[in-house]
Structure formats: C-alpha cells, structure tokens
C-alpha cells in the first residue's frame, strides 16, 4: 500500500494542506484564505479558531481530492507562520481572544523603555540588544495589561500559551500533547539557545509570567502524538513540526554553512545557515540580526541568521486589490516588461513600517519620482522592482554582522515566479539566484521532517532531491540596477520616520 505524508502549511494570509507521495511529488492540495485583522495602534490579529478549522478543512479536502484512504497517510508535518501566538482555556480548548500576529507592532514604544529599565538590565542584560517589538517578554505583559480578564484567568492557572504550531498540535491531539518545536520557540526571543529551554529568568523573573504556560521545546523531527480520528478518519502520527522559513531552508538543501535561501511570500525572508555552533551572544546580546535555531534532528542542531522585509506578496495583493493596478498577479511580469524602466518612479514597500535593516515602524510606503509621463505600467514595474531592492538591503544588514560567503541563493514562495524579481536579485546580490523545480519549499520541508522521523528518508537524501529549474546570473543590467538601488535608498530615507507615532 502506497504511503503519503500530509502537510498543514499555515501561513499569515492562508492555510494550505498538501499531500505528498513517497517520492515527495505533490498529489493533491487545498487552500483556504485567512482573514487578517489590521487595527489601529499597529494591532494585527487572526482568529485561532479559524486557523484550526481551516487546517482541518484543507487536510480533509487534500485527502479526498487524491482519493487516498486516510490509513495510507503515514504521517503529518506541520509548518506555520512564526511568532504569532495565542492564549486558550486548557479546559474548554477554546481561545480566549484572537491570535496576535507576527506583524503586530503594538509594543513598539516599550522597546526603548524596557531596554533602559533597571530591573531588566540587572536580571537579563544579555537581551539588551536583542529586544524587538515581537519579543514576548514585552508583548505578552502589555497584552495582559490591556486584557485584565485574560490576566485573571492566567493567574488562576486556567490558560495555556502557544505559537500556532503548539496550538495546532494541541487541537489535533485533543489536548493530549502540549509541545513546541525549537525552530518556532527560538524566534520568540525568549529561549536559552545553550540549554534549548525557555529562559525563565527572562519570562518569569522579569516578565512575571507563569512557567507552566510554556510548552516543551522539542526537535523538529520528533513524536508530537497522533491526530484524533475525528479529523481525518483515522489516527495519524504528527512527526514533523517546523517554522515556515526554517522549513524552506531545509527543503532547499541549505544544510551547510554559507548556504541560503530567500522566500518571497507574504514577506521576503533571506535566511542563511551558519552551522551547528551557536555564536557567542556577548554581554548585551547580539546587535542586529539575532541567530536562531534552524532545526534540530536527533542530537544535532543547525542555526541560522535572517533578515526580513515584511511586505512582499502582501504589497502585490495591495496593489491589485486596493490600487487595482492589475487584475491577476500572474500578469505582473508581462505588464512590467511592457516598459523599459520605471520612468524614474520608485516604490518603498513600507505598508507596515520597515524592518531589516532600518527597524522603523513609523515608516510608510510611498511612490516617489512621479512625473507627467508616469503610467500605470511604470508604477507596476516600480512595485515589483522594490522586492529585490528590499532584499538587497536585508542582505547588507546580514553582511555587516556576520562573515557570509554565499555563492548562490535559492528562492521560493509565490513571488519567486517572477523573472524580474529573480534577475534583479542576481544583479543586486551579485550572486547566482536559483529557482528550483518546485517553489513549495515551505510545505516540502515539513513533509521531509515528518518522513525522517518515520525512518523512510534521510537528511542526505533531501539535498539530492533539490532540482534546479532556472539559474539567474548577473547580466549587462547589473550596474544600472545597482545605481537604481542607491536612488531607491534615497526614497527609503524619505519614507522613514514619516509618522510621529504609529496610529
């Protein structure tokens, strides 16, 4: 009987279930769009209940479309958006509020305040440079302050906390397994990488959070229990759990030092493997990009560094839906190629502020350089070219802190279908950009993790599975785009510090 692996790929804007066969070919898939709630004050939320319900719907439909018996599904892999978290009632299994999404910036004003707080500097000075808007030692206490009813339940021991993979595992197993994987736990900025456990000095002694609300961090290829038969018709082992960007890094064969990938999805995530030794964080922590756990298989842990641009595919969706610049994202390369250049128009994709390397939540998106000859196609080309410009800025941020020697970068994610994006990245990064046969790397990595734990795949075989579709190298346009990049940086300067405070 042929066996399959089912992956639940839970992203920011949608949930996808993909069924892979034993050769890791996609047999069937199903997608459901998520409702992301953008509110004033930098608040970004999603319904945790909707995330789980759509994960079940997607999984059931993928199995049904493939006409596969549930018993043929050997295992399940789960990959999720990172840093998004939720509280839920341990008795009822229901979330007490929406999940707080990774793009949320409500805690932005507290970062400099906490950084100078005498108690913080005394208790955990090694995190001074590592504080971010998303650091849960800041975001959770602020959230609880604004939700006293939830804090009351937390203090009474009625709640559990988790990022989305923890929530999904807990729900799929009907509360039998409460666990997180190291790749997701590491991104919350509250884990001691040397012990691979939660840093309770930070979370309990400083942030005042109960220790028992945090799930056990585990390897990415590990036993996460079995799904209840109610969901897919039989109990299926969950044996692979990994964060989305780490999953894509793994699937694209970036298993050695100085191998990296760039996922161009909702945002752009440039991620580089830095080996199996965690870099010394120094007295006040890592300044700039912070190394994170890439994955753990068996007793071996790989680490990575990453720079990100929060709005890539999100910008294209905005340009399509709100500005109505085009009807279908598949049209964008043809429309952009219908003009020779942008006619001097530049776009800064700062719809939710700027992250790497600018760290400016008050920045806002802008088109600049507009003249009387500017046409719709110029705006479209400026929008798609901004993706590579932003990735170049992110790469420069990594280069300032780490000694990187990349010869090529693998690309994945829906926006990586664009030849314009891939070619511009090659010219700006001054290295080969490789598009594999399949750009569904995020789901594939989770499938491979699940299969590795089940014993029918090895890490060495994963590297051999990477098939190259296209390689983009530097061309005669390189100098032109490097010059354009320097002009784009002027546009970034104009867009920066636009707001006195974030609405």
């Amino acid at each position: 009987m042929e066996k399959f692996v089912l992956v639940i790929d839970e992203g920011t804007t949608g949930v996808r279930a993909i069924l892979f066969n034993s050769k890791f070919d996609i047999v069937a898939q199903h997608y459901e769009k998520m409702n992301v709630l953008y509110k004033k004050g930098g608040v970004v939320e999603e319904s945790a209940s909707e995330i789980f319900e759509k994960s079940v719907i997607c999984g059931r439909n993928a199995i049904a479309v493939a006409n596969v018996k549930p018993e043929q599904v050997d295992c399940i892999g789960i990959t999720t958006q990172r840093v998004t978290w939720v509280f839920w009632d341990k008795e009822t299994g229901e979330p007490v509020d929406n999940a707080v999404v990774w793009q949320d910036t409500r805690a932005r004003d507290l970062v400099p305040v906490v950084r100078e707080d005498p108690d913080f500097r005394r208790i955990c000075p090694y995190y001074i440079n590592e504080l971010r808007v998303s650091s849960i030692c800041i975001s959770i206490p602020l959230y609880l302050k604004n939700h006293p009813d939830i804090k009351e339940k937390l203090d009474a021991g009625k709640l559990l906390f988790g990022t989305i993979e923890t929530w999904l595992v807990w729900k799929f197993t009907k509360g039998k397994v409460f666990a997180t994987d190291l790749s997701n736990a590491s991104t919350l900025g509250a884990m001691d990488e040397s012990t691979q456990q939660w840093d309770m000095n930070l979370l309990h002694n400083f942030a005042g959070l109960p220790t028992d609300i945090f799930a056990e961090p585990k390897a990415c290829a590990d036993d996460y229990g079995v799904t209840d038969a109610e969901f897919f018709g039989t109990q299926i082992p969950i044996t692979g759990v990994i964060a989305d960007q780490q999953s894509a890094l793994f699937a694209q064969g970036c298993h050695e030092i100085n191998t990296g990938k760039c996922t161009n999805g909702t945002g752009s995530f440039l991620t580089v493997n830095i080996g199996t030794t965690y870099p010394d964080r120094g007295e006040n922590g890592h300044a700039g990009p912070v190394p994170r756990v890439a994955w753990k298989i068996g007793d071996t842990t790989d680490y990575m560094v990453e720079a990100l641009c929060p709005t890539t595919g999100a910008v294209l969706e905005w340009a399509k839906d709100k500005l109505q610049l085009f009807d279908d994202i598949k049209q964008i390369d043809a429309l952009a190629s219908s003009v020779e250049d942008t006619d001097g128009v530049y776009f800064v994709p700062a719809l939710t502020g700027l992250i790497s390397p600018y760290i400016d939540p008050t920045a806002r998106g802008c088109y600049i350089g507009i003249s009387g000859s500017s046409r719709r196609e110029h705006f479209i080309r400026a929008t798609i070219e901004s993706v590579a410009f932003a990735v170049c800025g992110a790469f420069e941020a990594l280069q300032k802190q780490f000694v990187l020697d990349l010869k090529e970068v693998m690309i994945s994610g829906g926006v990586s279908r664009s030849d314009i994006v891939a070619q511009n990245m090659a010219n700006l990064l001054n290295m080969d950009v490789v598009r594999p046969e399949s750009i569904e790397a995020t789901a594939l990595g989770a499938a491979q993790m699940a299969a590795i734990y089940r014993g029918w795949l090895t890490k060495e075989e994963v590297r051999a599975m990477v098939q190259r579709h296209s390689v983009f190298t530097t061309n005669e346009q390189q100098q032109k785009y490097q010059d354009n990049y320097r002009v784009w940086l002027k546009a970034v300067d104009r867009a920066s510090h636009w707001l006195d405070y974030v609405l």
Side-chain angles (χ1 to χ4, degrees):
M1 184 171 66
E2 187 177 6
K3 57 187 175 184
F4 301 85
V5 54
L6 177 67
V7 170
I8 304 298
D9 181 358
E10 198 291 305
T12 309
T13 55
V15 182
R16 187 186 310 275
I18 300 181
L19 192 69
F20 294 88
N21 63 19
S22 56
K23 296 179 180 178
F24 295 92
D25 300 319
I26 295 176
V27 177
Q29 58 183 302
H30 184 83
Y31 176 81
E32 294 281 334
K33 188 175 181 179
M34 280 296 303
N35 297 302
V36 187
L37 307 173
Y38 296 94
K39 305 177 183 180
K40 289 184 177 181
V43 173
V44 186
E45 297 178 341
E46 289 181 326
S47 166
S49 295
E50 182 185 4
I51 288 173
F52 176 65
E53 289 162 6
K54 289 187 173 178
S55 296
V56 174
I57 290 170
C58 288
R60 286 175 176 170
N61 275 280
I63 294 172
V65 168
N67 197 26
V68 166
K69 294 179 180 179
E71 291 76 17
Q72 290 180 265
V73 181
D74 181 75
C75 52
I76 286 178
I78 295 176
T79 184
T80 62
Q81 56 176 305
R82 303 170 300 176
V83 187
T84 298
W85 52 262
V86 64
F87 283 104
W88 67 91
D89 189 300
K90 65 171 66 173
E91 296 297 327
T92 68
E94 296 301 317
V96 294
D97 195 12
N98 287 328
V100 176
V101 176
W102 64 275
Q103 295 168 319
D104 192 282
T105 59
R106 75 186 79 183
R108 66 202 167 267
D109 295 333
L110 284 177
V111 174
V113 175
V114 172
R115 189 172 283 137
E116 297 303 321
D117 182 281
D119 287 337
F120 177 77
R121 299 178 77 88
R122 175 178 55 81
I123 295 172
C124 36
Y126 46 89
Y127 276 115
I128 290 173
N129 289 331
E130 297 186 14
L131 282 179
R132 301 291 185 270
V133 173
S134 59
S135 298
I136 59 172
C137 67
I138 298 177
S139 59
I140 295 179
L142 174 64
Y143 174 88
L144 294 173
K145 180 180 179 181
N146 293 327
H147 295 80
D149 54 328
I150 294 177
K151 186 178 188 308
E152 184 178 346
K153 291 179 181 179
L154 183 68
D155 292 342
K158 296 180 179 180
L159 303 184
L160 293 175
F161 165 89
T163 39
I164 298 304
E165 84 295 338
T166 302
W167 163 248
L168 289 178
V169 167
W170 198 87
K171 292 291 285 185
F172 275 129
T173 62
K174 287 198 170 181
K176 292 184 175 65
V177 178
F178 182 51
T180 183
D181 79 285
L182 284 164
S183 68
N184 272 292
S186 180
T187 61
L188 290 171
M191 196 180 80
D192 183 344
E193 261 73 14
S194 63
T195 64
Q196 297 188 348
Q197 296 295 321
W198 295 109
D199 189 334
M200 290 306 172
N201 187 44
L202 174 72
L203 293 173
H204 182 65
N205 295 338
F206 171 72
L209 299 171
T211 59
D212 59 355
I213 67 170
F214 296 97
E216 174 195 1
K218 301 179 66 171
C220 299
D222 209 330
D223 180 4
Y224 287 83
V226 298
T227 62
D228 190 89
E230 172 191 344
F231 302 118
F232 303 121
T234 188
Q235 293 183 332
I236 305 174
I238 304 171
T239 55
V241 178
I242 185 169
D244 53 5
Q245 301 310 316
Q246 285 92 322
S247 185
L249 187 72
F250 184 78
Q252 292 188 293
C254 302
H255 302 172
E256 306 296 332
I257 293 176
N258 284 316
T259 56
K261 64 82 188 170
C262 184
T263 300
N264 296 305
T266 300
S268 287
F269 300 82
L270 182 63
T271 315
V272 181
N273 188 313
I274 57 171
T276 57
T277 301
Y278 190 78
D280 179 26
R281 74 185 336 142
E283 184 178 351
N284 294 325
H286 294 283
V290 180
R292 302 297 188 197
V293 171
W295 54 75
K296 183 177 183 180
I297 300 174
D299 295 327
T300 303
T301 304
D302 279 66
Y303 298 95
M304 67 178 203
V305 290
E306 180 179 74
L308 68 98
C309 318
T311 50
T312 297
V315 159
L316 299 183
E317 290 284 351
W318 166 79
K320 176 176 71 72
D321 296 337
K322 301 296 178 64
L323 298 189
Q324 298 182 348
L325 289 178
F326 46 89
D327 298 323
D328 190 325
I329 287 180
K330 294 177 182 178
Q331 301 173 313
I332 197 165
D333 264 18
L335 289 168
S337 297
S338 68
V339 290
E340 291 184 1
D341 52 35
T342 67
D343 193 42
V345 177
Y346 291 85
F347 177 64
V348 179
L351 301 186
T352 57
L354 293 168
I355 301 185
S356 302
Y358 316 101
I359 315 299
D360 180 10
T362 70
R364 282 299 176 265
C366 74
Y367 288 98
I368 195 168
I370 303 166
S371 66
S373 59
S374 302
R375 307 200 323 258
R376 177 175 69 111
E377 291 80 4
H378 295 132
F379 283 87
I380 293 171
R381 188 170 185 108
T383 304
I384 194 70
E385 285 188 358
S386 74
V387 174
F389 290 146
V391 169
C392 183
F395 181 66
E396 288 181 348
L398 291 181
Q399 287 282 48
K400 286 182 180 179
Q401 186 174 347
F402 299 94
V403 179
L404 302 178
D405 185 25
L406 273 73
K407 300 296 188 295
E408 64 181 26
V409 61
M410 308 291 292
I411 57 174
S412 63
V415 181
S416 293
R417 292 186 177 95
S418 166
D419 286 354
I420 292 177
V421 168
Q423 185 59 63
N424 287 355
M425 284 179 60
N427 283 332
L428 291 167
L429 298 178
N430 196 33
M431 67 180 72
D432 290 353
V433 171
V434 181
R435 182 194 293 151
E437 285 286 348
S438 173
I439 60 171
E440 294 292 352
T442 301
L444 180 58
Q448 292 164 336
M449 283 290 170
I452 285 173
Y453 186 77
R454 295 288 283 176
W456 47 281
L457 183 71
T458 66
K459 185 178 176 182
E460 290 69 29
E461 289 172 322
V462 170
R463 287 197 292 271
M465 290 167 59
V466 179
Q467 296 180 341
R468 298 174 175 227
H469 176 272
S470 307
V471 179
F472 296 83
T473 61
T474 57
N475 63 14
E476 70 281 356
Q477 298 287 309
Q478 183 178 26
Q479 188 59 54
K480 170 187 172 181
Y481 278 99
Q482 290 184 346
D483 292 342
N484 289 349
Y485 172 64
R486 284 187 280 274
V487 178
W488 182 79
L489 290 176
K490 291 172 60 179
V492 170
D493 186 59
R494 304 292 196 278
S496 298
H497 308 294
W498 183 254
L499 303 175
D500 293 329
Y501 57 91
V502 180
L503 299 175

